[in-house]
Amino acid sequence: MVTQLPLKSLAKQAADMMFLPSDAADADDPVTPDELAVLRAQYQKEGVHVGIQTKFNYAWGLIKSSTRTDQQEGVRLLSEIFRNSPGRRRECLYYLALGNYKLGNYAEARRYNDQLLSHEPGNLQAESLSKLIDDKVAKDGLMGAAILGGVAVAAAGIGAMIFKGASRRR
């Protein structure tokens, strides 16, 4: 059973996100399944004539979900708003960056975030997200280098054993 949460408070919370907080602390702060269910119900209720604000609110909730498929759908919906509503692009940039960051699409996340920073150079939330992206890319790069290093060491070991075995047979 889905708990009925006041739609007004969720819509207000999503709308307030257009006036972005000062850091990317919300990057790992998911909405609850009940909150997402309320946003989904409103989105579905409006059907084919869904309003842009309702679509944005639902996309925001999907991005903030802890489920990858929800996050992918949120990025898709925000991309539609970004493409089709030039007046709403700025408010989509941060959440497109955040959604792509959460999905591991760091180049896309950086592209959207850099766009936001080019329009708002002092945006603390975008600067904070930029640092998160850079840190994650560096961490993943180190992990990749460690994995490659381990593979190289293993290959060298196997090569040495093969070479040693071949030289004994002679």
Side-chain angles (χ1 to χ4, degrees):
M1 181 176 145
V2 173
T3 306
Q4 286 296 342
L5 298 172
L7 179 60
K8 253 187 173 175
S9 68
L10 280 175
K12 180 177 178 352
Q13 187 179 4
D16 286 348
M17 296 317 292
M18 288 186 281
F19 306 103
L20 305 173
S22 62
D23 67 14
D26 68 332
D28 294 318
D29 187 22
V31 296
T32 67
D34 287 343
E35 291 170 328
L36 187 57
V38 171
L39 294 170
R40 181 177 286 122
Q42 181 63 34
Y43 177 79
Q44 290 171 340
K45 178 181 167 188
E46 292 185 25
V48 294
H49 302 294
V50 66
I52 290 176
Q53 187 61 51
T54 299
K55 191 179 212 179
F56 178 86
N57 293 351
Y58 181 47
W60 167 84
L62 290 166
I63 293 291
K64 305 272 296 158
S65 169
S66 55
T67 306
R68 184 173 178 81
T69 54
D70 286 346
Q71 294 164 359
Q72 290 169 328
E73 178 67 4
V75 167
R76 187 188 70 73
L77 291 173
L78 284 172
S79 294
E80 284 178 14
I81 296 169
F82 187 83
R83 269 191 316 276
N84 300 329
S85 303
R88 304 296 291 257
R89 287 184 178 156
R90 182 251 165 240
E91 65 191 290
C92 292
L93 286 172
Y94 175 76
Y95 287 101
L96 282 166
L98 180 62
N100 279 289
Y101 167 78
K102 291 176 84 172
L103 291 168
N105 303 331
Y106 304 123
E108 278 296 291
R110 183 175 281 133
R111 186 174 69 85
Y112 284 117
N113 203 53
D114 287 350
Q115 261 187 283
L116 180 56
L117 284 169
S118 74
H119 295 300
E120 298 177 22
N123 185 312
L124 297 176
Q125 188 178 39
E127 289 173 357
S128 177
L129 182 56
S130 187
K131 182 169 173 21
L132 287 176
I133 294 167
D134 291 345
D135 290 349
K136 190 68 168 171
V137 167
K139 179 183 172 194
D140 286 359
L142 289 175
M143 286 274 263
I147 291 168
L148 283 176
V151 168
V153 168
I158 292 170
M161 289 190 316
I162 291 171
F163 181 74
K164 190 175 183 180
S167 64
R168 283 187 184 165
R169 290 187 190 150
R170 291 184 188 173

